[in-house]
Each structure stands twice: as C-alpha cells, then as structure tokens.
Amino acid sequence: MRLLAVEQDSHGGTADFIDSLSSFSRLHRAQRWEGTFGDYLQNILPANPVALARTSHEYVWDMLRWHGRAGPPDAAENQRARELFKRELFGIDDSLSRVDLAKVAQIGDEGDPRAWSWSGAVYAASRGVLEMIEILKVKREFLYLLLTLTQEKNVKVSRFPLIHLDETILAHTNLAEFHKFLQEKENEALLDRMVIIKIPYALSYRDESRIYQKLVSGAPAFRNVHLDPHVLNLAAVFAILTRLVKPEREGLDVAKKLRLYAGEAVEGVPETEATRLHAEVPDEGMTGVSPRFVINAISNAITRGNTHSLTSMELLLALKDGIESDARMDVKQKKAWIDHLVTARKEFYNRWVKEDVHRAMFASFEEEAQQLLEKYLDEVEASLDHRQVSDPITGESRAADERFLRSVEEKIKVSDSGKLSFRQEVVRKAMVAFKAGEKFKLASHARMREAIEQYLFEERRDVLRLVTSTARPDEDARQKISVVQQRLVNEYGYDEHSAKEALSYVTTLLAQE
C-alpha cells in the first residue's frame, strides 16, 4: 500500500485528491451560518423563494425548459424542452411532447412504478427522479407500496414512522406486460395514479438509421468494420416496413407510406397525407422489429464472417438469417418479414445504388457531358431557326437532329407538345449567360443537367456490362470503370470491396431492364 501511495503521488493523484477534500472542507465551514429566523428571511433567503418550494415534477420540467432556452424564442414550450434529447433520442418527438410536467403538480402525481427497492434509491431520489425498469415484473406488494407515495408523498416502512418523499417516478415496461396488467381489475387503483405514455418505435427510417449509428459508433465490434453508405438506411427501411400498417387508400402501398413518413415527396400524394395516415392508426409503431434485433443481426454477420467490410446485400442476408433462426416467430410472420426485405431491396436499395453509380459515372465523364450540352444547344438553335447544321466531320449540311433532341428531352419527361417551350427556355438561359460573358454550363440549368446525366448514363450501360461480364474487357473501358470505382470510394463512402460489388450489382440490374 505504501508503494502504491508513492506512485500515485508521483503523478499528483493523491495530492490533488487531498487538496480537493481540504478545499471542500474549508468551503463547507465557510457556508455555516448562525442567526435568527428573521435574519435568515431577510439576508439569506433568495429573492425568488418560490424556486426552493418546487415539487420534483416542477424541477424536471424547469430543467427541460432551461436546456432549451437557446431555442427559437417563438417556439412552443414543449418543443424547446425537446432540445435536451435531440442528439440522443430519435423518432419519438411526439411522445416526448412525453406530458407537461408543470401540470402534474396541479392535477395529481405521476406514478409509473417499476422495480422497487428499499436499498436507498427511493430515498435518494427525493426531490428528483426515480427510474424503475421492468416495473410490472416485480412482486405485487411492492406495487401497492407506491400507492401511498404517489397519493400522499409518504412511505411507511415497518418499525419506522412515515417518511415524506417528493419524487418523479419514471417506469418502463413492454407492451405485452402492460396489456396483461390492464386486464387485471385489481390494478385499477394503480392505473388511476399513472400517466401512461406510449413510446412507439420510430416510423421514419432516417430517425431509425440515427439510432443504429449511435449504437454502432460505441460498439467495439464495429470499430474496424466499414459499412457501405446504405447499410444502416437499408436496415432502417426494413425495420420500419415491419411496423407499418398497410394503407387502405388505392394506389398507396407501404413503401410509399414509408417514404411519406420520412418526409420524401411521393408523386400524386400531398405531403399532408402523412399526418392523416398516422392519425388513422395511432398505435402504429408499437409492434414490429426492434433496433436491437437489427444490430444483433449485423453484429452476427461481422463476427461470424470475421469481415472488415459489410455491404448492403450482405446486410440483407444477415437479416434473413436472423429472421429464419428466430424461434419466437411463426412461419407466417417470418414470410412477411422476408417479403419486407425484398421490398427494401427493390424499392429503395436498387434506386440508391443506381444513383450512386450514375453520379460517379457522370462525374467521370464530365467533359463529354459538357460536349453533349453544347451539341444539344447547336441542334436546338438550328431547329428553332429552321436552318441547316454543318456536320463537324464530313462538312456536309443537314437538318437538325430531332431524334437526338428528343432522346435527351425524354429522359426528363418533356412531352412532344411541350418540347418547344422547353427548348426556348434553354436557349434563353444560354443567351443570358453569353451576354454576361459566361459559359453556359450544366450547373446553369438543373433540368438540362439531369437530362444529360440520364442520357450519358444510358450510353454507358454497355460499358458497365462489358467490364463486368467479359473476361478480357477493352482496356479503355476498363480504365474508365476503374475511375468510377475509385470515385465511389473517394466521394461516396464506399470501400474497394463494396464499390466493386455496387458496380457489379448495378450491371446486373441494367441487364434485367
């Protein structure tokens, strides 16, 4: 022990600790005060004595409001209170806005009891918060001890007088236990003293993905593992699909409903439809796969395969294995959840990965894209002026290439009846740029950029097929695709393994179209 003390002192640990104790002792003595009650009221009592008389519920509510004090001044009180949780809890804003704790003191105490302990936690929580886990699994006699605490703020312990306690009791339980508790009539007295707050699973895949990110960022198993940029979002999509109720509205399926809940635009459906759909099924999100199930499936895939890179397709296989090996589910539920995996892949991942490859390819052929834009402008001007175009190779004159113009315009669904106004708009913007001494670029016209991207991507389909399906691809084509693969790594969050798989997968999709 003497050797240990010397070693600690050499690092300043023991000395600092003793200094801290001495400082505390001096401060404690300095704060001792003696005097009459009148002197206390006049000199010691703060200017706002009401703050000292707050109940535990008021303390909690004031804490939440204080933390959100930097929020928008015109924001509602419950919205400002949520600031405390915005970086830790995702997808439960509606639930948090959790009860107005300021009103609890007026209308009665909140008492959502759970694991009861006489070891000191209940007393230590006085004037604060007592959190109780799996409350409905404890013995019934402990639950009834909470009646006096929630009703009269008193606790009676055998051989001791009544003890006054003022505390906010927060308790958790699962839905199955709670439904069982509701069916037992003898629990009415406890139910009358509870404020029930249902906390459903997240219904936005973006919020769900943030939960996964939070969990994996602190887990040692994921420390040296690369996840492709869509792994967590894809897992979240699957999870949300298991929680949604199929909409009854014609033309609206669960995939579109999921997109609406995530704040995405769905063609033909107003944004306000999400609120109406959720109002139709208020208990939506109370069932379905849990975040822990998803994280366990991902973790198992990593540890079993001893892998350092996990792709979206490997994630789907891991989730499928987790479903099939789960003894809690019957055959019907397993089939339904596997169908959700198929939906997640077809309706979401296919679109995401094609967009990645599409953008990476476009960036790799940017010079060609600009040349295509200039060719389009030449052809459009000739078409509008009813003049001939000189072929740059043969030097011969010819009419404007209407087939080329329409092949570009159709990529962004410009109709035949609307092509004239579209072309006039493009030429007008090109003239504005020219008069300003600037070059008309793709960034100057968002719709033209999209059209040229799509056109170029369609042209490069054959290049993708050639590289991935031929044993000895053309060297020039191989180099171009190598540039695309490297761009996926450098700019889109892939590693070499996942980028190669993404290119191969997109090639397969293109071959099926």
Side-chain angles (χ1 to χ4, degrees), residues 132-179:
M132 309 177 80
I133 302 172
E134 291 299 333
I135 176 63
L136 300 182
K137 285 185 169 63
V138 303
K139 293 182 179 180
R140 187 173 300 275
E141 54 266 29
F142 289 131
L143 291 177
Y144 285 120
L145 288 172
L146 294 175
L147 286 174
T148 307
L149 176 59
T150 57
Q151 182 72 23
E152 303 176 9
K153 297 187 179 179
N154 288 322
V155 170
K156 180 67 173 75
V157 186
S158 179
R159 300 191 304 276
F160 287 90
L162 285 173
I163 301 174
H164 174 79
L165 295 175
D166 170 27
E167 54 197 62
T168 301
I169 304 174
L170 300 178
H172 317 265
T173 190
N174 60 66
L175 193 61
E177 292 279 356
F178 183 67
H179 283 164

Side-chain angles (χ1 to χ4, degrees), residues 102-118:
K103 295 180 180 177
V104 175
Q106 303 170 13
I107 62 175
D109 289 335
E110 180 190 38
D112 231 347
R114 195 228 272 106
W116 184 268
S117 170
W118 292 109

Side-chain angles (χ1 to χ4, degrees), residues 429-441 444:
K429 288 199 172 185
M431 290 300 295
V432 170
F434 176 76
K435 289 180 179 178
E438 301 173 355
K439 186 176 182 179
F440 184 63
K441 297 183 178 180
S444 307

